[in-house]
Amino acid sequence: MLKSYNVVVVEDEDITRELLGKILTDNFFKVHPAPNGKKAIKLINEITPDIVILDLGLPDMDGFKIIREMRTWTQIPIIVVSANHKEQDKVTALELGADDYITEPFGAAELVARIKNAIKHSVVLKERKNDGKYVLRELTVDFINKRVLINGFDAMLTKNEYRIVSLLAQNAGKVITYEHITKNVWGTEKISDSRIRVNMANIRKKIEEDTAFPEYIITEPGIGYKMGI
Ligand code: CA
């Protein structure tokens, strides 16, 4: 990495915070630890980091509150650290504007990959804000003409399929929940997760080379989908 990225690590448990700090330092990130919410907000305001790793269970403050507060003024990527059984917490964090989550216990490689991915997408999205297109390898989402191209050919998505792909592309690198997709694609109508899964299966047939190993849209089991790896 050419640039050393600044990471604020918000975690009250010393062992986990130190472990996170060590993994990140070994991977050339500049780590700024925060053992509580108050210190976290102060640090984030002071240094405007490239990314924030956030534990939701803090002694002085709800992690959700930090996400909400941050999203009033910044789109700095946030990755939430969550226990495996707390699925609803992940969904809530994503709905409030977190970008991704990592489940404990996690491996160093997965953590670093998710952080790099989130930083990369936040930079790319900033640069591409106004050109009306999202390009990922052989996939192009053309927001102006409302169509998706694969290898230069129109993928012939239906209206709803396009809406799903477009939503994921506009938020590339971010996990988008089933609930968020439902609200955006079908309005207020209550749609079952299985209906979204059927749509996704059809989308994959049209854009993925091998639907068993999708390379454009990744499934986050029980939560939703993410565009881009
Ligand atoms: Ca904690």
Side-chain angles (χ1 to χ4, degrees):
M1 232 184 286
L2 295 172
K3 180 186 172 230
S4 182
Y5 290 106
N6 286 295
V7 186
V8 169
V9 175
V10 192
E11 170 65 74
D12 59 318
E13 276 161 57
D14 296 343
I15 294 173
T16 313
R17 193 179 58 251
E18 278 155 25
L19 172 70
L20 285 164
K22 181 169 182 339
I23 293 171
L24 296 175
T25 307
D26 287 350
N27 283 277
F28 312 107
F29 289 96
K30 194 164 187 321
V31 177
H32 308 265
N36 56 54
K38 211 174 152 205
K39 177 88 194 288
I41 287 176
K42 189 167 176 279
L43 262 178
I44 293 162
N45 276 297
E46 267 170 25
I47 62 172
T48 321
D50 296 288
I51 192 159
V52 174
I53 310 298
L54 177 66
D55 172 29
L56 292 175
L58 299 167
D60 61 332
M61 197 182 288
D62 191 339
F64 296 131
K65 199 178 158 194
I66 297 180
I67 301 175
R68 226 178 271 128
E69 161 132 5
M70 276 181 71
R71 285 295 174 256
T72 63
W73 67 277
T74 179
Q75 290 303 316
I76 294 170
I78 304 169
I79 297 183
V80 161
V81 179
S82 158
N84 197 21
H85 58 278
K86 299 206 165 163
E87 202 138 276
Q88 188 50 49
D89 282 1
K90 293 176 197 167
V91 173
T92 306
L94 294 167
E95 293 292 337
L96 288 175
D99 294 74
D100 202 351
Y101 59 86
I102 185 143
T103 304
E104 289 179 285
F106 48 80
E110 191 197 354
L111 173 72
V112 171
R114 285 192 182 248
I115 291 176
K116 285 185 180 169
N117 183 48
I119 292 176
K120 185 181 90 190
H121 282 288
S122 80
V123 172
V124 168
L125 287 181
K126 236 181 263 162
E127 284 168 356
R128 287 192 190 151
K129 224 177 194 169
N130 296 316
D131 82 350
K133 259 184 210 165
Y134 172 78
V135 180
L136 181 61
R137 294 186 290 275
E138 303 305 326
L139 176 89
T140 301
V141 183
D142 176 349
F143 300 119
I144 293 163
N145 297 304
K146 296 195 191 312
R147 56 180 200 160
V148 172
L149 304 174
I150 193 80
N151 294 311
F153 292 97
D154 194 327
M156 308 296 280
L157 299 190
T158 66
K159 218 171 180 180
N160 282 347
E161 288 165 4
Y162 171 77
R163 284 188 182 142
I164 294 172
V165 173
S166 158
L167 176 67
L168 293 171
Q170 278 163 13
N171 295 282
K174 232 179 129 128
V175 179
I176 304 299
T177 61
Y178 292 127
E179 200 189 342
H180 193 151
I181 294 172
T182 304
K183 267 189 220 145
N184 271 269
V185 176
W186 286 276
T188 52
E189 204 183 327
K190 189 80 193 142
I191 300 291
S192 68
D193 294 355
S194 69
R195 181 135 166 226
I196 299 174
R197 277 197 284 273
V198 169
N199 272 273
M200 187 52 69
N202 291 330
I203 290 168
R204 283 182 169 145
K205 274 184 219 150
K206 295 175 181 177
I207 67 166
E208 299 283 359
E209 198 156 314
D210 183 350
T211 53
F213 299 97
E215 57 168 322
Y216 296 113
I217 298 171
I218 310 309
T219 300
E220 300 288 341
I223 308 276
Y225 298 99
K226 177 167 76 175
M227 172 78 81
I229 330 175

